[in-house]
Amino acid sequence: MKKILGLILIAVGLLAACQRDSLDIPDASGYTSIYMPQAHNNPLAQNLYVVDTPLFVHYSAYFGGPTKPSGAITIHFKVDQALVDSFNLLNGTDYPVMPAGSYDLVDSVATIPAGTLSTAQLNLKLMTAGHIEVDKFYLLPITIASVSGDYKINPALRTQYFLFTGGYAPGEIIDWKDYDQIVPLGKYWLARKVETGGKKSLWAFPTDAGDNFGPGKLVGDGDRWQDYDMLFNYQNALMARKPNGDLYRFDLGSDGTLGAGQKKSEGWNIFTQLTGYGQTILGINTVDKGLWMYPVDEGGNIQPGRQVGQGWDGVSTLLPQSGAVIGRIGPVLTRFPLDENGNFDYGNIKNIGASTDWSSFNLLVWNKNAIIARKASGQLLRYPVAADGTVGTPVQIGQ
C-alpha cells in the first residue's frame, strides 16, 4: 500500500512540474488573447502632483492562454480620446479627457518576447503644471491598437482607463474656499468639495504634526456627498447626517480609505449642531432649544440621550475641547466646562479669544487642541487653545 501511495505522489509531482507550453492542446491558439491586466480595475484612479517635473505611470500587456508564444509578438498602443465619450455615456459621468500636451505615450510599441507572457513595464509620461487643475478629474484611455500575427485581442480588457486627479505637492498651501465642510480625523482631514452643478465630493488630505497637507485623494462615494447635510467627527470616525434625520457612521482606514456607511440612528434632523464629545454626541435641539447629550457604547450604538442645557438656540458652532465645549455666539466664543456626564461647572464659564471677531469666519472646526478657522476667501488659520481656554496666535495653514 505504501509503495502504491508513493507512486501516486511521484506521478502528481511530475504532473505539477509540467510547463504549460509543453501541453498538447488541439487548436491551442484559439484560446489565446492579448490583454491589458490593469483593465480589470477600470477606471484606475491615480492622484497626480501638479508640479513642473514630469511624472510617470506604468502599463503593460499580457499573453493569455494555455501555451506560451513561439515567436515574438509586437503590440501597438494608442490614446483613443473618442473612448472618453463612450465611457461617460455608459457610466453617467462627465470626465474630460486629459488635455493635449499633458501626456506622452513614451512606449507606444512594445514586444512580448517568444516564450514569455508579458511586455516589459511601459511608460506614460505626464506633464501636469500648466495643463491640469487641482482636484479636477481627467480620463485617459490607453488601448491596444493592434498586435502582430493572428493573435486575438481580448475586447473586455483591451483598454486601460486612467482616472487622474490633480493634487497639491507635499508642503504646498491648499485653497479651501471650495470646501463647505472640513472634518479632521487624526492623520487625515476629510473635506467636502462643492463641484460644478452642485455635486459634492469627499476628499482625504494627509497631514503631519504641523498640519501641513499632502495631496488629497477622492474617497467614499465619489460625488454623492450632497446627500448629507452635516458631517462631524466622533472618535475619529466620520458621522454624516441626511436631511431626513438618518445618521450614518463611516470608519476611516489607516491609508485614508473610507469604509461603507453604517446607519446608526434616525430622527437627527431636529438638531442644528452636532459634534462628538468624548464617548458622547452633543446636539442643539431645535424644538426645546436645549443642549442634548447622547452616550455611545463600545459597539458604536447610540444610547438614549438627555437634555443637559437650556437656551442654546443662539449658539451657531460647537467645538469639543477636552473637558469643555466651546460655543460661538455671534462674534464671541464662550467656553463651558462640561464633563461626560453632562454636568457644567457654571462658575468657570467664560468668554475666550476676545481679540478676534469670530463671526468673520464661515467655518470653525476643532482639531488637536486648536480651532481651525476658515474665511470666505479660503484662508485657513489655526488658533492654538490652551487647556484653560486661552487662545494663542494664529498660524496660516491654507490660502
Side-chain angles (χ1 to χ4, degrees):
M1 181 66 181
K2 291 183 178 180
K3 183 176 181 181
I4 294 174
L5 179 60
L7 291 173
I8 293 173
L9 292 174
I10 291 173
V12 170
L14 291 173
L15 181 61
C18 287
Q19 300 296 317
R20 68 178 184 168
D21 54 357
S22 68
L23 296 177
D24 184 14
I25 299 176
D27 299 321
S29 62
Y31 300 98
T32 62
S33 66
I34 309 300
Y35 68 98
M36 299 185 72
Q38 301 95 329
H40 282 289
N41 299 313
N42 277 330
L44 183 62
Q46 292 200 21
N47 294 302
L48 303 175
Y49 295 150
V50 179
V51 291
D52 293 326
T53 54
L55 305 173
F56 292 87
V57 298
H58 307 295
Y59 60 97
S60 59
Y62 271 62
F63 176 91
T67 63
K68 292 180 180 178
S70 58
I73 303 173
T74 301
I75 303 173
H76 291 259
F77 299 88
K78 69 176 182 179
V79 173
D80 191 346
Q81 296 188 4
L83 292 176
V84 173
D85 291 336
S86 301
F87 181 96
N88 285 330
L89 183 63
L90 180 64
N91 295 280
T93 53
D94 56 358
Y95 300 126
V97 68
M98 283 284 283
S102 67
Y103 61 88
D104 177 19
L105 203 59
V106 178
D107 299 315
S108 61
V109 181
T111 299
I112 298 178
T116 65
L117 298 175
S118 70
T119 65
Q121 181 173 270
L122 309 175
N123 294 294
L124 171 66
K125 181 180 178 181
L126 298 164
M127 287 70 71
T128 55
H131 294 288
I132 70 172
E133 300 176 26
V134 170
D135 292 349
K136 186 173 180 178
F137 301 95
Y138 302 89
L139 197 64
L140 189 70
I142 298 178
T143 191
I144 299 174
S146 64
V147 299
S148 62
D150 297 328
Y151 295 105
K152 299 177 182 177
I153 301 172
N154 186 331
L157 300 175
R158 182 174 193 151
T159 304
Q160 168 63 56
Y161 291 88
F162 286 99
L163 181 60
F164 294 125
T165 53
Y168 291 95
E172 288 190 5
I173 296 179
I174 298 170
D175 185 350
W176 293 96
K177 67 178 179 295
D178 294 330
Y179 297 88
D180 68 344
Q181 296 202 42
I182 299 173
V183 184
L185 297 179
K187 174 184 175 182
Y188 289 91
W189 285 30
L190 297 185
R192 188 173 71 173
K193 185 179 181 184
V194 181
E195 308 282 358
T196 302
K199 293 183 178 180
K200 297 182 180 181
S201 56
L202 194 66
W203 295 77
F205 292 90
T207 65
D208 62 17
D211 287 335
N212 298 303
F213 300 95
K217 66 177 181 178
L218 184 70
V219 295
D221 299 323
D223 59 3
R224 299 185 179 91
W225 286 87
Q226 65 272 7
D227 295 343
Y228 301 92
D229 64 354
M230 188 182 298
L231 308 177
F232 64 95
N233 180 345
Y234 172 76
Q235 294 285 311
N236 283 335
L238 177 68
M239 305 298 292
R241 185 189 70 178
K242 290 191 172 184
N244 66 357
D246 291 347
L247 191 63
Y248 288 79
R249 173 181 173 135
F250 297 82
D251 290 312
L252 189 70
S254 58
D255 60 350
T257 56
L258 200 65
Q262 308 167 38
K263 184 177 176 180
K264 306 304 293 186
S265 188
E266 300 176 348
W268 290 80
N269 49 346
I270 63 172
F271 294 96
T272 59
Q273 298 291 322
L274 290 170
T275 186
Y277 186 73
Q279 300 292 329
T280 73
I281 294 175
L282 292 177
I284 299 176
N285 192 310
T286 60
V287 178
D288 58 21
K289 319 301 182 187
L291 182 70
W292 283 69
M293 174 177 280
Y294 292 82
V296 182
D297 66 20
E298 293 182 356
N301 301 304
I302 301 171
Q303 304 302 305
R306 68 183 183 90
Q307 185 177 352
V308 297
Q310 299 178 346
W312 283 72
D313 53 308
V315 178
S316 60
T317 304
L318 290 178
L319 301 174
Q321 184 187 24
S322 178
V325 60
I326 298 171
R328 176 169 64 173
I329 307 172
V332 178
L333 288 184
T334 303
R335 182 179 183 273
F336 302 86
L338 177 68
D339 66 26
E340 287 197 24
N341 295 317
N343 301 308
F344 285 102
D345 181 0
Y346 290 102
N348 287 302
I349 295 174
K350 63 179 181 180
N351 293 339
I352 61 174
S355 61
T356 301
D357 177 4
W358 295 97
S359 63
S360 65
F361 300 102
N362 61 7
L363 185 65
L364 296 179
V365 295
W366 182 262
N367 182 50
K368 295 185 298 189
N369 297 320
I371 297 171
I372 309 301
R374 199 270 308 274
K375 291 183 177 290
S377 64
Q379 185 183 62
L380 202 65
L381 300 173
R382 183 181 187 274
Y383 288 83
V385 181
D388 64 355
T390 301
V391 178
T393 303
V395 175
Q396 182 176 340
I397 58 175
Q399 61 185 13

